[in-house]
């Protein structure tokens, strides 16, 4: 089979790397890809939003399956475009992708389907939003309705901050005119976060193992929100009881509600959850694999990803219910970013030490913002690399990931030093062998 992955970040490198391991994958292309996808697959210089050129390429090369990485092409209807051309593609339609592309839509659907989420109000005029905020005596979160590369959510501690957020989103239109036409103002929740990604096709829901992202730019969750500075899998906050509740109270009602609206969801449904004292609450839905979450997830997945993705596309996913195989060892991913990210940053700096880092067994350096220039690999984005390691324990996986990070240098590189620490603090003995609860499905190493 020939497969095309659409996108150019760490998520797409992880997808190319894993899909290429399938014995059935003859060739894996990536459009447009980065220096890492060019090593594990073949890059094609086509923009992910240029649907016509993508369709022509797929026809010409006789590609059997296209897998979409990022949200933007999904929100703009790449799946509808391919389906009209009778081509097989993995991901939700434009309407179904509204679960991510419109926070107002997602909130209203949650209210309608009785899915637990933070109390909220929707505003389409800044004056009404301001009046509401001024009468609140608890911390708020202000969210632009539309896509804003993960930056349109402003978590506030005071009402003044919330008023400034309204100004930035609705008046200054910092996240674009369309994205800021409406805002969601919601109660700020306390608790530990968890990303639960599930493959969905028809009525079938196959959850992947729980992961935890690190959204803030700096250690101890300080600084602005980013696309994600590191992740680990499995996340012990996702106890079997909590995962059960999320399945019953979140995934099932949303998938059914979408079906009833005649907008069935097919692809990856990503539930961003806050585990509060009162139980799980949905922070957001995404309609694609999380990045960096997919990096530790795919390090651990033993099931053939191509088989799995095809089963979603062909609506045969039931065959995989309760049958996913996982490496029992935890994985930790540390993102190395460009100085200044998530704000403005410089690019084009040479990256050194990739060969040394690649020598570590059970370590994979996924590329995000990189490009090749002759013999050199240069930085080419905010998030540059996702250094991902397996270990016998979570502590061991963390140590090994940071050992590989220490091999790599580029000017202005920065990364968090506390990835996985929340879980390590919560484990009774961090050095003890950590056997994830949901790993009951996993098989020993060489079966
Ligand atoms: P979202 O894109 O909606 O997930 O928001 C991005 C990040 O903002 C989340 O991962 C949380 O860290 C934070 N966040 C969003 N909504 C809330 C909330 N209601 N309470 C606390 N933090 C939130
Ligand atoms: N890491 C968060 C996301 O992919 O949206």
């Amino acid at each position: 089979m020939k497969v095309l992955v659409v996108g150019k970040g760490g998520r797409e490198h992880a997808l190319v790397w894993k899909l290429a391991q399938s014995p059935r994958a003859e060739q894996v292309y990536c459009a447009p890809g980065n220096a890492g996808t060019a090593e594990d697959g073949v890059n094609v210089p086509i923009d992910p939003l240029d649907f016509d050129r993508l369709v022509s390429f797929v026809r010409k090369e006789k590609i059997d399956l296209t897998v979409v990485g990022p949200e933007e092409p999904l929100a703009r209807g790449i799946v509808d475009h391919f389906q009209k051309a009778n081509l097989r593609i993995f991901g939700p339609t434009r309407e179904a992708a509204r679960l991510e592309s419109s926070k107002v839509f997602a909130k209203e659907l949650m209210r309608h389907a009785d899915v637990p989420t933070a109390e909220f109000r929707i505003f389409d005029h800044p004056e009404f939003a301001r009046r509401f905020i001024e009468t609140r005596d608890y911390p708020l979160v202000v969210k632009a309705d539309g896509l804003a590369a993960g930056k349109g959510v402003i978590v506030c501690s005071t009402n003044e901050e919330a008023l400034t957020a309204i100004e930035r989103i609705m008046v200054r239109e910092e996240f674009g005119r369309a994205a800021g036409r409406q805002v969601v103002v919601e109660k700020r929740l306390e608790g530990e976060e968890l990303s639960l990604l599930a493959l969905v096709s028809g009525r079938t829901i196959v959850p992947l193992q729980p992961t935890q992202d690190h959204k803030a730019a700096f250690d101890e969750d300080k600084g602005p929100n980013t696309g994600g500075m590191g992740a680990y899998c499995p996340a012990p906050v996702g106890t079997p009881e909590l995962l059960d509740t999320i399945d019953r109270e979140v995934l099932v009602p949303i998938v059914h509600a979408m079906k009833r609206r005649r907008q069935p969801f097919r692809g990856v449904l990503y539930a961003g959850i806050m585990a509060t004292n009162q139980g799980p609450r949905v922070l957001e839905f995404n309609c694609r694999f999380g990045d960096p979450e997919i990096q530790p997830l795919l390090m651990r997945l033993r099931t053939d990803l191509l088989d799995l993705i095809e089963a979603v596309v062909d609506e045969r996913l039931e065959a995989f219910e309760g049958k996913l195989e996982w490496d029992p060892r935890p994985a930790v991913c540390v993102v190395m970013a460009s100085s200044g990210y998530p704000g403005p940053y410089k690019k084009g700096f040479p990256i050194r030490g990739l060969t040394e880092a690649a020598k570590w067994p059970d370590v994979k350096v996924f590329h995000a913002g990189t490009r090749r220039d002759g013999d050199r690999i240069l930085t080419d984005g905010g998030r540059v690399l996702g250094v991902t390691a397996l270990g016998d324990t979570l502590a061991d996986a963390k140590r090994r990931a940071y050992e590989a990070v220490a091999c790599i240098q580029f000017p202005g590189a920065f990364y968090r030093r506390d990835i996985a620490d929340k879980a390590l603090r919560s484990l009774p003995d961090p050095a003890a062998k950590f056997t994830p609860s949901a790993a009951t499905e996993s098989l020993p190493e060489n079966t």
Side-chain angles (χ1 to χ4, degrees), residues 90-113:
F90 173 80
T93 59
R94 178 192 177 118
E95 276 302 312
R98 286 179 73 210
L99 268 177
E100 172 166 4
S101 65
S102 168
K103 297 210 184 277
V104 168
F105 172 81
K107 279 296 214 181
E108 284 177 339
L109 192 73
M110 282 190 262
R111 175 142 63 192
H112 174 78

Side-chain angles (χ1 to χ4, degrees), residues 103 118 141 143 153 155 186-189 193 215 225 274 283-284:
K103 297 210 184 277
V141 179
K143 303 183 174 185
V153 171
V155 181
E186 67 180 41
K187 199 168 180 171
R188 177 169 167 181
L189 300 171
E193 278 186 56
K215 291 246 163 65
N225 264 353
M274 186 75 91
L283 298 174
E284 65 169 336

